[in-house]
Amino acid sequence: MNLKELSQMLGLSQTTISRALNGYPEVNKETRERVLQAARETGYRPNRAAQRLATGKAGSIGLIMPISPDHSSDMHFAEFQSGLAEASIVHDFHFVIMPSRAEDEEQAIRWLVASGSVDGYYLAYVRDRDPRITMAKSLSLPFIVHGRSFGLELDYPFLDVDNEGAFYDATRFLLQLGHQRFALLNGPSDLDFAHRRRLGTEKALAEKGLLLDPRHTRHSFMGDEQGYRGMKEILASADRPTAVLCASTVLALGAVRAMNEVGLKLGTDISLIAHDDELPLLKPENFSIPLTTTRSSLRAAGKRIGERLIAMINQSEPAAPEQELWKVELVVRASTGPAPT
Amino acid sequence: MNLKELSQMLGLSQTTISRALNGYPEVNKETRERVLQAARETGYRPNRAAQRLATGKAGSIGLIMPISPDHSSDMHFAEFQSGLAEASIVHDFHFVIMPSRAEDEEQAIRWLVASGSVDGYYLAYVRDRDPRITMAKSLSLPFIVHGRSFGLELDYPFLDVDNEGAFYDATRFLLQLGHQRFALLNGPSDLDFAHRRRLGTEKALAEKGLLLDPRHTRHSFMGDEQGYRGMKEILASADRPTAVLCASTVLALGAVRAMNEVGLKLGTDISLIAHDDELPLLKPENFSIPLTTTRSSLRAAGKRIGERLIAMINQSEPAAPEQELWKVELVVRASTGPAPT
């Protein structure tokens, strides 16, 4: 069954069928359902090249793949990408991925837009007053930001999680358990989410007249080794903290190893709360002492961003920028307990 | 500094400079080095659109992103992709990635090739008598296979690791320690690497007149949950095995959890060897009892495949298909010990 035969069978134009299958709003619901049912029954799958000609769309989303200093893979990126793929596969979209060092990202985006190979793109790893957002607003292609940028007006489409609220809640909970000395193993200092998580921590501490000790704060790539090394150094100090906040379960994996090495019992001698992106390999309940976490699914964020971006691409009229801020849950498990006396 | 200015400065044609920067073999070594040095000193970066016009190349590698049944991310794929990115970034290549269910892969490859958006592509997750390899040989674009396909003549370019040899060596080592009852937690049964790993295990067992018990063999997606569930079931049997082979450290992560739950001490009550793809999060030496492994870097394989594919793309003459088989090391740590008596 090809498009022409399907068109004859249904008595609809080939354009209408293409648009129905691609979810264009011009096609009414009844027609769309009739087309989808016929496509299912006849096993028809659209020819992508024909589709592209008919719609003028590439059928693709552009994204930048950040390159870590040691070129190792980043599970956070992989998990987000799997969510994006989940949305893409439904709408028959593919990705154009540009691996890029942080300093070359603006150029990489300009190329993506100029190449004509993508219909839209998403920006992530947002920084303060991020120049890429200003640039994206000046270009003609749909885009969506994963995160927000401190210092810029919020007039762009974004999806973010409430990073400040999450770390405020986590810190407040530890304060209620009597903790006074805190450590924070955070993501890279130039990234917006890390900035907001530190703000949330500092805000909760300030309410009790406490300050976050810069000697007990680390900013790094969110890898297992970084968590281990950071925690090891912090545990070696004379006035070591009794409560630790980690920006990722990956950092926590290393931090827990460092605690085990010096014989500290998690939840008794020292408490830890990690941010849980729901990475499939690092379920907090599978740690030998299950971790208390602030939870928000990175895959769900990827899926939602994919869906919104594809809807923006398929829309003929530009809509007002949609903005979403997801709440984060605090899930209490065994890694937190009263401050040791 | 643009291409025209660089051309005037060096007294070379713009085409020669483009070709030198893209590693074409037509440009001699001396000229290439002169161009590279000048590009470095002046900070010149080629304009990709111009480059594409000059060379007729898209500057991109195509790949299929397999979609797991539950849409969760696959660390093995992510780690391979990071190696591919390491090679791509050096040559200013990008990726065109098509997320695809296993049953739609052939169609996805046809589209990649027909779209004109890629200069070459790689095939992975190879099956027995894989029809995609036969198809790729009939198409006009450079390709390289990660793995090999049982039952097909070896006349295509590939890079594989010696999966059979690795599991033969691992099994033989466990037999020498006195083990007689084996379990195998393997990858999906239709994948070539899993087939070869089973063969290696069976071959070593056959030399001692032993058979692999099908009740103690599992084929699955290589996730943590799958390892846990498979091991849990196997440990519940009356004649439970004393030695376990895992096709990935991810499966081993779950398997070790299942052993801990029933109070088995790894390396004493039960021995385990896992295949180690050098996933950055799952270093075998960081398990509470360090794992004995067969080791081969997936990132290094990705990098090498990227380099070879880009060289094939940049070559004007087709070369004989290059074939590489990487040896795998057996690294002994604490998770293996004499069979319990």
Side-chain angles (χ1 to χ4, degrees), chain A residues 143-156:
Chain A
F143 73 99
I144 182 165
V145 178
H146 184 202
R148 283 170 294 169
S149 175
F150 239 98
L152 287 187
E153 202 190 329
L154 284 176
D155 57 356
Y156 49 86

Side-chain angles (χ1 to χ4, degrees), chain B residues 261-311:
Chain B
E261 276 188 13
V262 295
L264 288 175
K265 191 160 159 45
L266 194 59
T268 310
D269 303 325
I270 193 160
S271 286
L272 182 145
I273 300 183
H275 186 71
D276 174 21
D277 291 305
E278 299 197 10
L279 304 176
L281 264 189
L282 280 180
K283 299 207 168 133
E285 61 269 34
N286 288 346
F287 278 68
S288 58
I289 292 171
L291 301 186
T292 295
T293 59
T294 55
R295 181 173 65 192
S296 184
S297 164
L298 205 49
R299 200 196 312 169
K303 189 180 174 195
R304 177 72 185 140
I305 283 181
E307 282 165 356
R308 279 181 52 192
L309 193 52
I310 291 169

Side-chain angles (χ1 to χ4, degrees), chain A residues 45 48 70-73 75 79 82 86 94-98 107 111 250 257 281 286 299, chain B residues 45 48 70-73 75 79 81-82 86 94-98 107 111 250 257 281 286 299:
Chain A
R45 278 184 61 84
R48 283 162 171 280
D70 69 347
H71 294 277
S72 73
S73 56
M75 274 198 69
E79 184 64 1
S82 80
E86 193 177 345
H94 63 276
F95 308 143
V96 174
I97 297 192
M98 182 70 71
Q107 200 189 354
W111 176 83
V250 183
R257 204 163 75 243
L281 264 188
N286 289 345
R299 199 194 314 165
Chain B
R45 280 183 60 85
R48 283 162 171 278
D70 70 346
H71 294 276
S72 73
S73 55
M75 273 199 69
E79 184 65 0
Q81 195 185 349
S82 81
E86 194 177 346
H94 64 275
F95 308 143
V96 174
I97 297 190
M98 182 70 71
Q107 198 189 356
W111 177 84
V250 183
R257 204 163 75 242
L281 264 189
N286 288 346
R299 200 196 312 169

Side-chain angles (χ1 to χ4, degrees), chain A residues 50-95:
Chain A
Q51 226 176 3
R52 186 172 168 172
L53 278 177
T55 62
K57 297 277 161 60
S60 82
I61 292 174
L63 53 146
I64 306 295
M65 177 179 175
I67 299 299
S68 76
D70 69 347
H71 294 277
S72 73
S73 56
D74 182 349
M75 274 198 69
H76 304 89
F77 177 76
E79 184 64 1
F80 181 87
Q81 196 185 348
S82 80
L84 209 54
E86 193 177 345
S88 299
I89 207 166
V90 174
H91 300 278
D92 233 5
F93 267 63
H94 63 276
F95 308 143

Side-chain angles (χ1 to χ4, degrees), chain A residues 9-25:
Chain A
M9 185 181 115
L10 292 171
L12 293 170
S13 76
Q14 296 184 20
T15 310
T16 302
I17 292 173
S18 280
R19 290 179 171 237
L21 292 170
N22 284 291
Y24 278 64

Side-chain angles (χ1 to χ4, degrees), chain A residues 13-277:
Chain A
S13 76
Q14 296 184 20
T15 310
T16 302
I17 292 173
S18 280
R19 290 179 171 237
L21 292 170
N22 284 291
Y24 278 64
E26 295 92 329
V27 183
N28 71 45
K29 197 170 160 240
E30 197 187 316
T31 307
R32 187 193 326 273
E33 276 167 11
R34 218 177 114 218
V35 171
L36 287 174
Q37 199 190 335
R40 263 195 306 272
E41 285 170 6
T42 59
Y44 169 75
R45 278 184 61 84
N47 175 296
R48 283 162 171 280
Q51 226 176 3
R52 186 172 168 172
L53 278 177
T55 62
K57 297 277 161 60
S60 82
I61 292 174
L63 53 146
I64 306 295
M65 177 179 175
I67 299 299
S68 76
D70 69 347
H71 294 277
S72 73
S73 56
D74 182 349
M75 274 198 69
H76 304 89
F77 177 76
E79 184 64 1
F80 181 87
Q81 196 185 348
S82 80
L84 209 54
E86 193 177 345
S88 299
I89 207 166
V90 174
H91 300 278
D92 233 5
F93 267 63
H94 63 276
F95 308 143
V96 174
I97 297 192
M98 182 70 71
S100 174
R101 292 187 194 86
E103 63 270 26
D104 296 330
E105 269 196 25
E106 270 184 75
Q107 200 189 354
I109 292 163
R110 279 191 192 280
W111 176 83
L112 272 181
V113 172
S115 70
S117 61
V118 302
D119 304 314
Y121 56 102
Y122 99 96
L123 300 174
Y125 304 90
V126 181
R127 300 185 186 86
D128 288 0
R129 295 183 180 276
D130 200 310
R132 296 173 304 161
I133 295 178
T134 315
M135 184 181 80
K137 279 162 50 185
S138 76
L139 299 170
S140 55
L141 226 52
F143 73 99
I144 182 165
V145 178
H146 184 202
R148 283 170 294 169
S149 175
F150 239 98
L152 287 187
E153 202 190 329
L154 284 176
D155 57 356
Y156 49 86
F158 70 78
L159 183 153
D160 200 2
V161 298
D162 184 7
N163 288 299
E164 184 176 340
F167 274 56
Y168 173 82
D169 289 348
T171 307
R172 202 162 154 266
F173 173 67
L174 289 163
L175 286 163
Q176 286 166 353
L177 288 167
H179 293 276
Q180 300 239 324
R181 292 197 308 279
F182 285 75
L184 173 63
L185 301 181
N186 207 343
S189 63
D190 57 337
L191 296 189
D192 183 85
F193 77 85
H195 183 168
R196 291 184 200 263
R197 289 178 188 176
R198 198 181 65 239
L199 283 184
T201 306
E202 289 173 343
K203 190 177 155 196
L205 290 176
E207 288 177 1
K208 296 284 174 190
L210 296 171
L211 281 171
L212 186 63
D213 190 336
R215 293 174 308 128
H216 295 162
T217 305
R218 291 291 180 285
H219 287 280
S220 69
F221 176 77
M222 299 200 293
D224 162 66
E225 280 304 303
Q226 285 79 359
Y228 173 77
R229 273 187 261 126
M231 199 70 246
K232 195 99 180 163
E233 289 165 15
I234 290 169
L235 290 178
S237 66
D239 54 344
R240 73 176 173 212
T242 63
V244 182
L245 293 150
C246 287
S248 162
T249 47
V250 183
L251 286 166
L253 185 69
V256 168
R257 204 163 75 243
M259 291 170 185
N260 286 340
E261 275 189 14
V262 295
L264 287 176
K265 191 158 162 46
L266 194 59
T268 310
D269 302 326
I270 193 161
S271 287
L272 182 146
I273 300 181
H275 186 71
D276 174 20
D277 290 306

Side-chain angles (χ1 to χ4, degrees), chain B residues 178-205:
Chain B
H179 294 275
Q180 300 238 324
R181 293 197 307 279
F182 285 75
L184 173 62
L185 301 182
N186 208 343
S189 63
D190 58 336
L191 296 189
D192 184 85
F193 78 84
H195 184 169
R196 291 183 199 266
R197 288 179 188 177
R198 199 182 63 237
L199 283 184
T201 306
E202 289 173 342
K203 190 178 156 196
L205 290 176

